[in-house]
Amino acid sequence: MTILVVARGNMDDAAWVERLRHELPGREIVVQGEPFDRRAVHYAVAWKHPPGAFAGLPNLTAIFSLGAGVEHLLMDPRLPDVPVLRVVDGDLTARMSEYVVLHALRILRQHELLVRQQRERIWLDDDRQPAARDVRVGVMGLGVLGADAAAKLRTMGFDVAGWSRTAKVLPGVACFAGAEGLTPFLSRTDILVCLLPLTPDTAGIIDRSLLGRLAKDGRAGGAHLVNAGRGGLQVEADILAALEDGTLASATLDVFETEPLPADSPLWGHPRVTVTPHNAAMSSPHAIAGLIARQIRRHEAGEPFEHLVDRSRGY
Ligand code: NAP
Ligand code: GLV
C-alpha cells in the first residue's frame, strides 16, 4: 500500500513525505523521480503534478489533492478514473477567512491611504470612514471557504451577500444563485470576494462585463475586487482596464493567470493593486497529512471516503 507523493509549485515533496511518514508509520512513501514499484502504489498525493504522472499505476485507489482546489488534477487528460479527494480542513478554512477579513477591513479602513499619509507626514483625520454595516461585501462561492468567510465578515459587521450555483440559506447573508442571481448580487456589492473553484463554467468569469455590474453608489469609495479563488477566474487585462476607467477602485489578488506572477506584469507596480503570492490559505503539512491519513484508514476499514470531488461538476 505505497503512497506516491508529487508536490510541485509552492509545495515541497520532502515536507509532505516527512509528515505522512509520521501519520502513517510503516507505510512506504515514495516520490516521483525515484525508482519505485508502480504496482505497489495504492494512493497518490498531489499538487500540480506533471500530466500523466498517475497513469500506469494499476492498483491506484484514490488521489488526494493537497489543496481545496482540484483543477490541477482534473485538467490532466490521463488522470485515472479513481476517486479524487480534496482538502476540507478547519486550519485551511480559518486561514482563508483571515485573508478575506483582513482585506475587507483594509479596504473599509482605507489602510493604503493611511500608509501614504504617514509616509508624507500628513495628519488628516476626517469623516470619510464608513461603518462596516454600510459596506456591502459579496462573496462569490458559498462552499466550505465562502460560507465561513461570509459568517466572519458578518461578525465584523459588514452587510454580506453571497452567490453560488445552487440556492443556499445562510444566517444573516443575502443569498443569490445561478445565472439569474448574478446581476442582482453584483449590483449590491461594493467589495467582491471571489472564492469560486476554477471549472469550465467559471473560467474567465471576472471580466469587464462582470466588473461593470458592481455597485457604483457604495460607501467604500468605488467597487473593489478580492480574488483568492484561482487566477483562471480572472481576465487580468479587463481588471487593469477597469482600474484605469474607474470601474474598479482597487484589486487585491492572491491568484493569477500565470503563477508565479511574471516580473513584467503591470499588476506588480499598480498603485491600486495588492499582490499576494497565492498564500491566502496554505495547506499546512501538519494539518493536512493527518486528514489524508484519516481518509486512508477510513477506506481500509470499509468506510466511505469523505470530501470527494464530483468530477462531472469540476469541484
Ligand atoms: P467548495 O466547497 O467546493 O465551494 C465552491 C463554491 O463555488 C460552492 O458554493 C459552489 O456552488 C460555487 N460554485 C461552483 N461553480 C459555480 C458556478 N458555476 N456558479 C456559481 N457558483 C459556483 O470549495 P471551497 O473549499 O470553498 O474552495 C473554493 C476555491 O478556493 C477552491 O476551489 C480553490 O480554487 C480556492 N482556494 C484558494 C486558496 C488560496 O490560497 N488562494 C486556498 C484554498 C482554496 P454550490 O454550493 O451550489 O455547489
Ligand atoms: C490552494 O490554492 C488550494 O486550492 O487549497
Side-chain angles (χ1 to χ4, degrees), residues 67-214:
V70 291
E71 80 298 333
H72 60 104
L73 286 167
L74 302 189
M75 67 178 42
D76 178 352
R78 294 170 66 205
L79 195 73
D81 188 14
V82 297
V84 173
L85 287 79
R86 69 187 199 94
V87 169
V88 175
D89 175 73
D91 178 86
L92 185 137
T93 302
R95 289 169 193 248
M96 181 58 85
S97 292
E98 286 166 11
Y99 184 91
V100 170
V101 172
L102 166 71
H103 290 287
L105 287 175
R106 193 175 55 82
I107 293 163
L108 173 75
R109 301 302 300 249
Q110 304 174 83
H111 187 70
E112 301 311 307
L113 175 67
L114 295 173
V115 168
R116 275 202 310 279
Q117 287 184 185
Q118 179 182 348
R119 211 175 288 131
E120 292 163 25
R121 299 173 183 248
I122 296 171
W123 184 279
L124 184 59
D125 177 14
D126 64 15
D127 62 357
R128 285 169 298 180
Q129 176 60 62
R133 66 175 173 278
D134 295 328
V135 171
R136 298 162 297 181
V137 184
V139 182
M140 292 179 93
L142 289 175
V144 173
L145 301 183
D148 191 71
K152 287 173 179 162
L153 288 162
R154 280 282 305 147
T155 300
M156 294 314 305
F158 286 103
D159 179 356
V160 183
W163 181 71
S164 51
R165 196 175 55 82
T166 57
K168 298 269 177 297
V169 178
L170 296 176
V173 178
C175 292
F176 298 81
E180 64 289 358
L182 185 56
T183 298
F185 162 77
L186 294 170
S187 64
R188 54 90 69 217
T189 293
D190 302 313
I191 303 177
L192 179 67
V193 173
C194 184
L195 290 175
L196 287 169
L198 178 58
T199 71
D201 289 339
T202 61
I205 191 170
I206 306 172
D207 63 2
R208 200 73 188 260
S209 150
L210 179 141
L211 296 171
R213 283 178 276 164
L214 290 168

Side-chain angles (χ1 to χ4, degrees), residues 11 47 65-71 87 92 229-230 255 278 281 283:
M11 302 222 197
W47 186 249
S65 168
L66 283 177
V70 291
E71 80 298 333
V87 169
L92 185 137
R230 279 290 182 268
V255 288
H278 198 146
S283 289

Side-chain angles (χ1 to χ4, degrees), residues 277-296:
H278 198 146
N279 72 346
M282 299 287 281
S283 289
S284 145
H286 274 260
I288 309 304
L291 177 78
I292 294 170
R294 246 186 339 275
Q295 294 304 322
I296 290 178

